[in-house]
Amino acid sequence: MPKAIDMHVHLPTASWLDVAIQPYRAPAEKFFRQVVPTREMDVVAELYEKLDILGVLLAWDAETATGLAPLTNDEVAHWVRTYPKQFIGFASVDPWKGKKAISEMDRAINDLGLKGAKFHPGIQAFYPHEKQFYPLYEKIADLKVPALFHTGTNGLGAGMPGGMGIKLDYTRPIWLDHVAADFPQLTVIGAHPAWPWHEEMLAIIQHKSNVFMDLSGWSPKYLPKMILDEARGRLQDRMLFGSDYPFITPDRWLADFETVTGAMGVTPEIKVKILYANAARILRLD
């Protein structure tokens, strides 16, 4: 088994950086304080092999809200087939596409072999708890795969006038509380630490056993102390390693995690849960 599962990996390809998020790329680079070069997936696979990490590749479809072409489920599935020891994939569908989104999710899981669903309510401009999207969640629950939702603030559009039209309210975790309550058989993952609503997210995780948090998008040394305390305490079975590659590399995240958890006296058993075991259980790898 790999030593870790990175639950949040974007493709650093032209199809994502230069197409699917093209207008948001420069603000995101400024937000993360680094230039993010376009890379071939062969290079990414080599990195993940070297680190002995399994990466969850995320497709992207926000076409209705942005007018931008998606990074397709087929492209993600291609790289999973090419490097099955390094990657698995999560499908993305545009929830505004209705029945087409439902059929595409079914195809992505059953035909392409992807292992989960990925949503970004901020960029896709939808409130996850609105009932018009419930048939899509019913399909995902029937497929028995997890659904991952971006939560909290947003690097895309950050620091720009009007945030480039992106509304942060879409990504409040409280909307996921409705989804988790109405679909108790669905595994819901809140992507990122959900700041500034991290207390809200932690309350949901504590209350509902089908909800998890991935810690991507932040170096562990910047995570709010409350999250770290819960991760080594009562919520240690619900926290997941994620990097948010290519904006944060997995090697940097893991090095900072080791420094922070070492200083806090986090046990090796808890580290294994966060880095591997919790994700393996969700993804049914064991």
Side-chain angles (χ1 to χ4, degrees):
M1 71 178 190
K3 73 175 184 181
I5 299 173
D6 185 344
M7 287 293 297
H8 209 104
V9 183
H10 295 290
L11 280 65
T13 54
S15 54
W16 191 60
L17 292 171
D18 296 332
V19 179
I21 68 161
Q22 188 276 327
Y24 311 110
R25 180 177 180 177
E29 289 177 328
K30 184 177 180 181
F31 177 81
F32 283 98
R33 293 180 289 185
Q34 64 173 319
V35 174
V36 177
T38 301
R39 292 186 176 92
E40 297 297 328
M41 286 303 295
D42 304 307
V43 175
V44 183
E46 184 178 349
L47 170 66
Y48 276 74
E49 181 181 23
K50 179 181 178 181
L51 296 172
D52 190 23
I53 296 174
L54 179 68
V56 178
L57 302 181
L58 306 174
W60 185 278
D61 187 352
E63 189 173 17
T64 298
T66 67
L68 300 169
L71 187 161
T72 67
N73 298 318
D74 293 271
E75 181 174 352
V76 168
H78 165 75
W79 292 115
V80 172
R81 288 193 301 269
T82 304
Y83 295 104
K85 293 183 179 180
Q86 273 66 63
F87 303 128
I88 62 175
F90 273 25
S92 176
V93 297
D94 183 338
W96 294 107
K97 293 180 180 179
K99 292 181 179 179
K100 184 178 179 181
I102 295 172
S103 62
E104 172 60 14
M105 183 60 68
D106 184 83
R107 185 185 78 90
I109 304 303
N110 283 323
D111 297 346
L112 299 181
L114 301 184
K115 301 298 185 183
K118 164 65 163 70
F119 297 98
H120 195 311
I123 305 299
Q124 294 173 317
F126 78 106
Y127 286 106
H129 69 304
E130 291 189 348
K131 296 296 176 65
Q132 70 187 92
F133 306 117
Y134 272 29
L136 178 56
Y137 305 149
E138 289 172 5
K139 169 57 70 175
I140 298 169
D142 288 344
L143 291 168
K144 295 181 171 57
V145 296
L148 184 149
F149 296 80
H150 178 106
T151 64
T153 192
N154 201 328
L156 303 187
M160 301 296 288
M164 299 182 72
I166 298 168
K167 299 177 177 68
L168 296 181
D169 187 53
Y170 288 129
T171 54
R172 282 195 64 171
I174 198 64
W175 311 131
L176 299 184
D177 185 63
H178 295 245
V179 177
D182 293 339
F183 294 91
Q185 73 277 33
L186 176 65
T187 296
V188 175
I189 304 169
H192 315 308
W195 183 89
W197 302 292
H198 51 288
E199 293 185 18
E200 190 171 276
M201 189 72 217
L202 293 172
I204 296 166
I205 297 171
Q206 189 278 329
H207 191 253
K208 293 175 172 63
S209 64
N210 54 322
V211 181
F212 295 75
M213 173 191 282
D214 91 33
L215 300 172
S216 66
W218 289 50
S219 162
K221 65 183 180 181
Y222 297 127
L223 287 172
K225 184 176 182 298
M226 179 179 291
I227 293 177
L228 292 169
D229 286 341
E230 294 287 8
R232 66 172 177 167
R234 60 180 175 172
L235 300 182
Q236 61 187 260
D237 295 318
R238 310 289 190 74
M239 299 293 181
L240 310 167
F241 157 49
S243 66
D244 209 10
Y245 184 86
F247 296 112
I248 296 178
T249 61
D251 44 340
R252 176 201 168 184
W253 195 99
L254 290 169
D256 289 349
F257 179 75
E258 190 61 33
T259 299
V260 169
T261 55
M264 296 178 67
V266 178
T267 67
E269 291 78 13
I270 292 176
K271 292 180 185 179
V272 169
K273 287 182 179 182
I274 296 170
L275 296 179
Y276 175 81
N278 294 341
R281 186 172 72 255
I282 290 173
L283 298 171
R284 304 184 182 208
L285 298 184
D286 295 336

